[in-house]
Amino acid sequence: MMTPLEELRHSASHILATAVLRIFPDAKLDIGPPTDTGFYYDIDLDHKLTAEDLARIEAEMKKVVDENQPFLRSEVSRDEAAEIVKSRGQERYKLGRLADIPEGEKISFYKNGEFMDLCAGTHVRYTSKVKAFKLLSIAGAYHRGDEKNKQLQRIYGTAFPSRDELAKYLEQMEQAKQRDHRKLGRDLKLFVIDEDVGQGLILWTPNGSIIRQELQNFISEELRKQGYSQVFTPHIGKLELYKISGHFPYYKESQFTPVVENESLARILGEGCSCAEMVVRLDAVSSRLAAQINERTGRETITPDRVRPDDQLIEGFMLKPMNCPHHIKIYASQPRSYRDLPVRLAEFGTVYRWEQSGELNGMTRVRGFTQDDAHLFCTEDQVAQELLGCLSLVKIILTTLGMSDYRVRVGLRDPDSKKYTGQKENWDKAEEACRQAARTLGVPFAEEPGEAAFYGPKIDFVIKDVIGREWQLGTVQVDYNLPIRFDLTYSGADNQPHRPVMIHRAPFGSMERFCGVLIEHFAGDFPVWLSPEQVRLVPVSEKTLDYSRELLARLREAGVRASVDEHNDKLGAKIRRAEIEKVPYTLVLGGKEAEAKSVSIRSRAKGDEGVMPFDQFLPRIQEEIRLRSLSGKKTPA
RNA sequence: GCCCAGAUAGCUCAGUUGGCAGAGCACAUCCUUGGUAAGGAUGAGGUCGCCGGUUCAAAUCCGGUUCUGGGCUCCA
């Protein structure tokens, strides 16, 4: 059953189809459902739709609305339905859609004017009910969402019960555009992406680097409190490392091509090795490694066809697509006792993944990014406690940033599938631990069977920003697989080797995505502790330039980020500049202030706050920074 | 990767049927020395994304390519 709004939008999509068929009678229709924000219709049409076509179609839709056609439902048999579809020349997609309807379910059509569509309904009574609508864009969309199928043209639009609501929605879209991190990133000089450096590779400019550094400092402080050790590891690792972990060639598609050693490359070229052969050899492993992995995992994890003689193997390195193998090697670098556990290794680790070019987006979807990563090595019994620790960290940081609106998804195994590694009892324990941990947060959480990784259950964080958009950021994952593949052990109280459990966690995902979300969350109005420039000193005239410079030195000495506006402009223009650059505090310095060693405070949050001695202002802002207070933030619109 | 649309000064954009490259903001210099969101004048700044083609002549037309945007697919 549709909500009234969905009904309205669904009806709008039928009106869209009606209009399209009037203009392009040979259009073949697929489906046209309502969405969260509007509706679309997928259409197969040789003519490439243009923006002008969109205007024409919209005008025709208005006519259909004015014609005030009733939406009429009729129920028919399966054979009759097929006949209707064929008689209208719509068999290309509609017959397939008809076949999707389960046996025994009612088959219905909805008719308005000359248009009739296979449709479960429901609809508004008359086309005239759809008063406030707008077509928004044309996009390509694969039939049934499968990239192997033909790509259809999708027309997106939206509809609301009233024109006011439509106008409000369009206004909201406009505002969202204003706070887009790509726009703010450029305006506030936070980051750039350069064509010559590469797509999806972020260059953090000085201002953005300050924000990232402050966040990292903050996270690091919390990690130290929680007993983490910070480590550094290189950006590359040998191909074999990822063959042991199983990431290569399994995730080869989403990794940068391996860096092949010069000697290896020269030898292969000398042999006149074909491309196909080269690919096989890249994937291949030595018989020694295959035997090891198969022994450890207790099954034929590496099949004999992947094994090649040593002289055919290709030596090379990979840009690391994840940090775990490196951290595992740190764990494995010395004997571990149960008394040492948990070992918590944290790193702001930069990883590289080959995202498809069409899905790159600003800072939120990139090819090189730095995870706030950590790997916890613990005993079975410690898993639950460690999960709690991970979640409390998330809670502290999100609360500090004023992002307390979030939910978690607990990914559990699919009870019917056999793809999971590890023992059932461990899974049961780990899943229950995830469930319990999520419960302690006091935020909504959903259990999703089948969403677990093959090596363990996980907890995902979905964060809602101030304008209601949701962002999937980090995850916490329990892993039984890698400790086996790397043969990790610790000595237990019984003096026997035991297998540790690993927890992977990157609660904020990556610094890039997190900062991107943060930019939009704050609309660039960062709290004082995160602001690249915390104080702008504005001399009323050149006469107080010296006083301004004196205060600048004192602020810098005190660790406050500040600058003097030395432009030859009037006060109003300097205030405006500070306002546009979103500096939280502007100190206006005229003759009176210089005389009294005071400052006239204008804050981003409250405007003109009056005059105060500088010696009083300094501790005030220092305290605000120290507390990582949100109070300096402009109240969100 | 696929579909569609773009790319002109640091930014936002104009540029007609192919005929000398434009505006506003920002920037620099000078005048002005000021009291809470734009004082005035002058100036500098461009191989019109890149490569090739058509043409007497290309920002403009054609082909290719790179990047960007909106979607689709994907996201360990």
Side-chain angles (χ1 to χ4, degrees):
Chain A
M1 192 62 196
M2 286 189 180
T3 65
L5 185 60
E6 284 171 338
E7 209 172 57
L8 180 79
R9 289 171 171 170
H10 185 199
S11 301
S13 87
H14 274 225
I15 295 171
L16 167 60
T18 310
V20 168
L21 283 180
R22 281 187 185 176
I23 299 171
F24 304 102
D26 57 339
K28 303 300 173 207
L29 304 176
D30 189 10
I31 49 165
T35 66
D36 288 347
T37 56
F39 62 89
Y40 64 82
Y41 215 114
D42 282 350
I43 295 158
D44 189 359
L45 183 64
D46 289 336
H47 169 76
K48 303 287 181 204
L49 291 169
T50 62
E52 293 84 71
D53 292 327
L54 219 55
R56 274 171 75 200
I57 293 167
E58 197 173 289
E60 195 60 43
M61 286 173 73
K62 288 210 169 70
K63 282 189 204 160
V64 175
V65 169
D66 290 341
E67 286 163 23
N68 196 19
Q69 304 163 347
F71 279 100
L72 301 171
R73 180 186 172 95
S74 54
E75 287 177 14
V76 298
S77 72
R78 195 167 287 269
D79 290 346
E80 286 167 332
E83 276 315 305
I84 296 172
V85 165
K86 283 181 199 157
S87 71
R88 292 178 168 265
Q90 291 295 344
E91 57 270 26
R92 193 178 297 169
Y93 301 102
K94 291 294 180 184
L95 283 183
R97 298 291 176 183
L98 177 63
D100 291 343
I101 301 174
E103 210 55 53
E105 207 160 284
K106 280 177 182 160
I107 295 171
S108 60
F109 279 80
Y110 274 79
K111 185 174 186 303
N112 61 287
E114 77 278 14
F115 179 66
M116 193 169 185
D117 200 0
L118 176 69
C119 174
T122 46
H123 283 280
V124 295
R125 305 269 292 269
Y126 294 93
T127 55
S128 62
K129 296 280 180 198
V130 186
K131 284 191 195 67
F133 69 90
K134 186 172 172 59
L135 295 186
L136 299 172
S137 60
I138 305 160
Y142 298 108
H143 173 54
R144 292 186 185 277
D146 187 335
E147 64 182 323
K148 288 192 272 300
N149 287 341
K150 180 164 186 187
Q151 197 160 45
L152 310 177
Q153 300 189 73
R154 176 173 294 179
I155 301 177
Y156 277 98
T158 193
F160 284 87
S162 71
R163 294 210 169 85
D164 280 354
E165 284 161 282
L166 174 64
K168 210 174 123 199
Y169 172 77
L170 295 174
E171 168 67 23
Q172 269 174 12
M173 290 293 96
E174 193 49 43
Q175 279 183 4
K177 229 158 115 188
Q178 289 308 308
R179 68 162 71 209
D180 189 310
H181 74 281
R182 291 167 300 190
K183 173 179 161 51
L184 287 170
R186 188 174 53 237
D187 290 351
L188 302 178
K189 301 186 172 63
L190 301 176
F191 70 95
V192 290
I193 298 169
D194 185 278
E195 205 176 304
D196 293 335
V197 174
Q199 288 183 283
L201 300 172
I202 304 293
L203 303 176
W204 294 75
T205 47
N207 285 350
S209 301
I210 288 170
I211 293 170
R212 170 168 164 176
Q213 190 65 59
E214 287 290 350
L215 279 171
Q216 290 189 186
N217 291 347
F218 175 38
I219 294 171
S220 299
E221 267 176 40
E222 295 303 322
L223 291 182
R224 278 193 288 277
K225 287 182 198 164
Q226 289 201 10
Y228 281 77
S229 314
Q230 287 205 333
V231 299
F232 294 96
T233 63
H235 289 224
I236 61 172
K238 277 169 79 171
L239 203 43
E240 182 168 286
L241 182 67
Y242 301 98
K243 289 178 182 170
I244 298 172
S245 72
H247 291 110
F248 193 92
Y250 193 56
Y251 294 112
K252 194 167 58 171
E253 300 299 302
S254 38
Q255 294 168 176
F256 277 78
T257 310
V259 183
V260 177
E261 277 178 15
N262 274 331
E263 272 183 31
S264 222
L265 190 61
R267 204 182 61 224
I268 296 159
L269 292 175
E271 286 174 21
C273 178
S274 74
C275 289
E277 171 65 8
M278 175 121 173
V279 169
V280 171
R281 286 199 196 178
L282 267 177
D283 295 354
V285 299
S286 66
S287 55
R288 172 192 55 85
L289 183 61
Q292 256 177 22
I293 298 292
N294 291 343
E295 158 89 34
R296 288 173 191 171
T297 54
R299 60 197 169 89
E300 197 176 71
T301 303
I302 294 181
T303 50
D305 55 302
R306 267 189 68 200
V307 176
R308 286 290 177 115
D310 288 1
D311 63 354
Q312 285 191 12
L313 297 176
I314 298 176
E315 297 282 321
F317 292 84
M318 285 211 347
L319 281 169
K320 65 178 174 187
M322 71 292 300
N323 301 301
C324 23
H326 290 69
H327 292 179
I328 285 171
K329 287 299 187 182
I330 292 178
Y331 174 89
S333 64
Q334 51 176 283
R336 305 286 180 175
S337 145
Y338 73 99
R339 296 175 194 276
D340 301 330
L341 302 188
V343 170
R344 308 181 185 94
L345 303 178
E347 177 179 19
F348 292 100
T350 305
V351 298
Y352 300 89
R353 298 181 188 181
W354 187 259
E355 304 287 350
Q356 293 189 63
S357 63
E359 54 205 20
L360 297 170
N361 179 283
M363 290 184 118
T364 57
R365 199 74 191 270
V366 293
R367 282 185 175 160
F369 54 94
T370 303
Q371 296 178 312
D372 58 324
D373 209 1
H375 294 93
L376 288 67
F377 302 84
C378 62
T379 68
E380 290 278 352
D381 296 337
Q382 290 168 333
V383 170
Q385 184 60 36
E386 290 308 307
L387 285 175
L388 280 177
C390 294
L391 298 198
S392 79
L393 176 75
V394 175
K395 193 164 187 166
I396 290 167
I397 293 173
L398 290 183
T399 303
T400 303
L401 293 165
M403 307 178 90
S404 40
D405 198 359
Y406 63 103
R407 61 193 174 87
V408 300
R409 287 195 303 236
V410 180
L412 306 175
R413 85 209 114 136
D414 175 354
D416 301 327
S417 170
K418 290 201 186 83
K419 70 172 182 175
Y420 304 99
T421 61
Q423 279 138 19
K424 186 180 171 301
E425 310 81 66
N426 290 345
W427 270 88
D428 289 341
K429 267 203 281 190
E431 288 185 346
E432 186 52 26
C434 286
R435 211 177 270 132
Q436 286 295 342
R439 221 167 262 150
T440 62
L441 283 169
V443 300
F445 78 97
E447 292 181 21
E448 297 188 8
E451 284 303 301
F454 71 90
Y455 49 76
K458 62 176 183 172
I459 302 172
D460 290 335
F461 302 99
V462 181
I463 287 157
K464 201 181 247 183
D465 69 15
V466 278
I467 54 172
R469 284 172 305 179
E470 290 199 321
W471 300 89
Q472 148 92 62
L473 293 176
T475 69
V476 177
Q477 304 181 352
V478 182
D479 183 355
Y480 297 105
N481 179 51
L482 285 178
I484 295 172
R485 292 189 73 123
F486 282 94
D487 196 23
L488 300 182
T489 58
Y490 65 89
S491 343
D494 56 2
N495 198 27
Q496 293 298 307
H498 293 266
R499 190 74 79 197
V501 180
M502 264 179 85
I503 298 174
H504 308 245
R505 41 114 287 185
F508 307 104
S510 75
M511 298 314 291
E512 284 75 8
R513 179 176 289 183
F514 193 53
C515 282
V517 172
L518 222 47
I519 290 167
E520 305 198 2
H521 175 75
F522 288 121
D525 292 318
F526 296 101
V528 181
W529 69 280
L530 283 176
S531 290
E533 182 175 356
Q534 296 164 320
V535 177
R536 173 71 53 86
L537 298 159
V538 175
V540 172
S541 79
E542 279 175 18
K543 288 174 188 157
T544 45
L545 243 183
D546 284 343
Y547 179 54
S548 304
R549 288 174 179 155
E550 183 189 325
L551 295 193
L552 175 66
R554 290 197 56 194
L555 284 165
R556 285 196 175 153
E557 181 65 25
V560 178
R561 298 184 288 269
S563 76
V564 176
D565 188 338
E566 303 208 3
H567 284 88
N568 185 9
D569 283 317
K570 283 190 162 176
L571 178 60
K574 294 181 199 175
I575 299 269
R576 178 181 147 83
R577 184 156 34 234
E579 198 72 45
I580 288 170
E581 290 172 16
K582 297 179 184 288
V583 181
Y585 285 104
T586 301
L587 302 182
V588 177
L589 307 170
K592 284 173 280 184
E593 287 79 11
E595 187 66 30
K597 297 289 175 198
S598 64
V599 295
S600 173
I601 303 171
R602 183 189 165 94
S603 72
R604 191 181 54 200
K606 298 185 191 129
D608 194 343
E609 291 194 33
V611 179
M612 177 187 286
F614 177 75
D615 287 334
Q616 213 172 312
F617 171 77
L618 183 61
R620 172 184 147 176
I621 190 171
Q622 282 181 302
E623 186 67 354
E624 192 175 339
I625 292 166
R626 194 183 64 80
L627 293 175
R628 300 198 167 94
S629 165
L630 281 174
S631 63
K633 183 170 84 79
K634 194 175 254 177
T635 323

